[in-house]
Amino acid sequence: MAGSITLTLVSASAGAGNFQIYHTSADPSNLIAQNVSSASLAAGYCTNEVYSSYVVKSDTVDCQNQVIVYPGGALSPTPTPTGVSPTPTPSTLPTLTNGWRIQAGIYTPSTSIIGYHRGTVFGCPTPINAIGTELSPTTTQQALPGTDCYWTSLFGANTTKGYGVEGIGAASTLALTQFTYDNSSGVLYFGIINASGTGNPGNGSLSGTIVGNNGTSGTWSVSYSPLVTYTDNGGAGTTYTPESQGTLSISGLTLTNGVQYNINV
């Protein structure tokens, strides 16, 4: 290698002297110079053999010491790349033929309600806990009947009537208003209206599979019936029982904020 390196002894014990100089390691095949006196090394020993490191070793019997010299400063070891877990790539949901496709949202002021809720939402004219998003191919919205705001003595506050999202295939006559999990109570809630927008679907039951784009899947079931009656126009208008509602059962997965789901019927 072109160039030169000067090795200079800065300090040494009285017994040190007659040094051997190696490159890289103290291997006989790497010997550059031997019997170099303390005085010569203190004055600066120049070599044309340029390497990234040198070993200077004392020959004296009572001082078998050596020091590794890095002419440019100690070499920094090549850092081992830190293991970084890749961000999971959401999978593509299977083709939906019967049911609804939604993306779960979350409501977290005091409790964590996760899922989809767009019909009969507490608060009006501003709905407080409307969460979730309807996704293609089920994006057609069906407004609940009447005029905002709904009123019921059951809640003692105004309710935004909102809308349901129409299903496809076997669910095409129904519009989903609620599919949520309340982790403060551990209860799952379900709500539907007729896709025509007139009246509730009455009593019935539904079941099927649910698949998330985070790799989870499970089954769900519900029995529903008309429950809550509202008076529109802030309690001064027409009376409606727009939804059929029930308590859901889900097995195999937990609804998770931001995950897309096929709710298959």
Side-chain angles (χ1 to χ4, degrees), residues 5-210:
I5 291 291
T6 298
L7 303 174
T8 303
L9 178 65
V10 177
S11 64
S13 63
N18 293 333
F19 294 94
Q20 293 177 339
I21 301 175
Y22 304 84
H23 70 80
T24 312
S25 66
D27 185 280
S29 63
N30 296 338
L31 184 65
I32 294 174
Q34 59 183 340
N35 298 323
V36 178
S37 67
S38 297
S40 297
L41 195 55
Y45 180 83
C46 183
T47 176
N48 293 327
E49 298 189 44
V50 179
Y51 293 92
S52 59
S53 65
Y54 299 85
V55 177
V56 180
K57 184 176 181 180
S58 172
D59 288 336
T60 56
V61 175
D62 62 337
C63 188
Q64 289 290 330
N65 292 323
Q66 68 181 42
V67 63
I68 302 175
V69 179
Y70 299 95
L75 298 178
S76 299
T78 301
T80 302
T82 302
V84 177
S85 299
T87 301
T89 301
S91 59
T92 301
L93 287 170
T95 300
L96 179 71
T97 55
N98 301 285
W100 301 271
R101 178 174 292 169
I102 57 99
Q103 179 169 306
I106 189 168
Y107 173 71
T108 57
S110 58
T111 63
S112 291
I113 301 173
I114 301 168
Y116 181 85
H117 189 189
R118 289 291 173 175
T120 60
V121 181
F122 186 76
C124 186
T126 302
I128 295 174
N129 58 343
I131 57 173
T133 306
E134 54 276 359
L135 300 174
S136 179
T138 56
T139 57
T140 302
Q141 299 175 4
Q142 178 59 60
L144 274 68
T147 303
D148 272 329
C149 298
Y150 278 179
W151 169 265
T152 174
S153 58
L154 182 65
F155 301 143
N158 283 336
T159 297
T160 297
K161 63 189 187 74
Y163 62 87
V165 59
E166 294 181 14
I168 61 172
S172 61
T173 61
L174 302 172
L176 183 70
T177 56
Q178 185 172 9
F179 197 98
T180 58
Y181 171 63
D182 184 342
N183 66 18
S184 67
S185 63
V187 178
L188 293 131
Y189 297 97
F190 179 86
I192 49 173
I193 61 172
N194 286 326
S196 63
T198 58
N200 61 67
N203 299 317
S205 62
L206 288 171
S207 63
T209 59
I210 179 169

Side-chain angles (χ1 to χ4, degrees), residues 231-244:
T231 303
D232 74 350
N233 198 23
T238 304
T239 298
Y240 298 95
T241 306
E243 283 178 295
S244 291

